[in-house]
Amino acid sequence: MKNLRTFALMISAALLMAACGGNKENAAEVSEKLTPGEKPENAQTYTIDPLRSTVAWIGTKVTGQHDGTIGVSSGELYLLEDQLVGGNIIMNMREITVLDLEDPETNAKLTGHLKSPDFFSVDSFPLAQFEMAQLVKMEDAMAGEPNYTISGNLTIKDITHGITFPAYVNLEEDMLTATADFDLDRTLWDVRFGSGRFFDDLGDNMIHDNFNIKLDIVASK
């Protein structure tokens, strides 16, 4: 009888442990329920290195294009079970640069224009922020190809819109790197200067609404 009671207790304990284990959410389920920028419980935090991370931009117009960078101020990435589930990136719009114009005067003129109310109004809105949530890992991704679909809220000029883009995320020991290449419609954030959607008779002065963003993020524990 004693052995029977012992066996019953062991079965009950095993069932209880299985039930508790069954209720544990995996990383994908946790990420799906997060609000943008929220840090999940028990997540590992990787701090973004502003000096090693870059946000590059390319803007095109009828007669050509310009490119440059936007400063990375700070940010965090959150991991569960070695899977990226959330995070945030804060960008310093005061540090927007133009890289393709070598003449100092011409460069300064365009840089100043980008910082003006015609574009990003950096005196009034010095920071932009991307808050992540609902990340999906692509289990069948080829080596070196995008292996995550990242979603979240991008805030520029205090205007927030949801965006989604593919990214390649690589974790090696205590270092995490993430790269992405995608386009945004600038007019969603009230950047309308030279847009053919809002102004007529622009001719060769028309600037395309979509601009390209390339992220190269480095973070560590």
Side-chain angles (χ1 to χ4, degrees):
M1 182 67 69
K2 181 178 179 182
N3 289 338
L4 182 61
R5 286 199 301 268
T6 302
F7 179 72
L9 288 172
M10 291 174 62
I11 293 295
S12 298
L15 290 173
L16 180 60
M17 291 176 65
C20 292
N23 290 331
K24 181 181 178 181
E25 294 180 310
N26 61 35
E29 292 171 329
V30 171
S31 183
E32 184 179 1
K33 295 180 179 181
L34 292 180
T35 59
E38 179 184 0
K39 181 180 179 179
E41 186 178 357
N42 300 323
Q44 292 182 315
T45 298
Y46 282 67
T47 302
I48 291 175
D49 186 342
L51 298 179
R52 300 174 66 187
S53 303
T54 59
V55 177
W57 61 267
I58 300 175
T60 62
K61 54 184 180 179
V62 173
T63 56
Q65 69 176 46
H66 294 292
D67 64 85
T69 62
I70 298 169
V72 177
S73 179
S74 61
E76 295 180 336
L77 300 175
Y78 307 133
L79 276 78
L80 278 176
E81 303 166 3
D82 289 336
Q83 182 169 327
L84 183 62
V85 294
N88 63 81
I89 304 172
I90 299 175
M91 292 153 282
N92 187 347
M93 301 304 294
R94 293 182 185 273
E95 295 181 359
I96 192 168
T97 67
V98 176
L99 297 178
D100 63 291
L101 296 177
E102 295 182 0
D103 177 69
E105 184 176 348
T106 307
N107 189 303
K109 182 177 180 180
L110 178 56
T111 302
H113 197 191
L114 292 173
K115 294 179 179 181
S116 78
D118 280 343
F119 285 91
F120 295 106
S121 302
V122 301
D123 285 341
S124 300
F125 309 103
L127 299 179
Q129 181 170 231
F130 178 54
E131 298 177 296
M132 294 170 247
Q134 301 176 8
L135 282 66
V136 178
K137 187 175 183 180
M138 306 176 195
E139 299 295 344
D140 58 348
M142 300 292 288
E145 295 296 318
N147 55 1
Y148 276 83
T149 299
I150 295 182
S151 299
N153 286 344
L154 176 62
T155 301
I156 303 173
K157 298 173 67 174
D158 276 357
I159 301 170
T160 301
H161 286 288
I163 64 172
T164 298
F165 56 86
Y168 174 67
V169 178
N170 185 50
L171 178 63
E172 292 186 6
E173 297 181 353
D174 292 338
M175 185 72 65
L176 185 149
T177 59
T179 57
D181 185 335
F182 56 95
D183 292 337
L184 296 174
D185 180 352
R186 64 190 175 95
T187 65
L188 294 175
W189 290 272
D190 196 33
V191 183
R192 300 181 178 184
F193 183 86
S195 171
R197 194 183 308 174
F198 297 96
F199 301 98
D200 297 324
D201 303 322
L202 291 171
D204 290 346
N205 294 316
M206 188 181 74
I207 301 171
H208 299 140
D209 292 339
N210 283 354
F211 69 103
N212 179 258
I213 291 290
K214 289 182 175 62
L215 298 178
D216 191 347
I217 302 300
V218 178
S220 60
K221 285 185 179 181

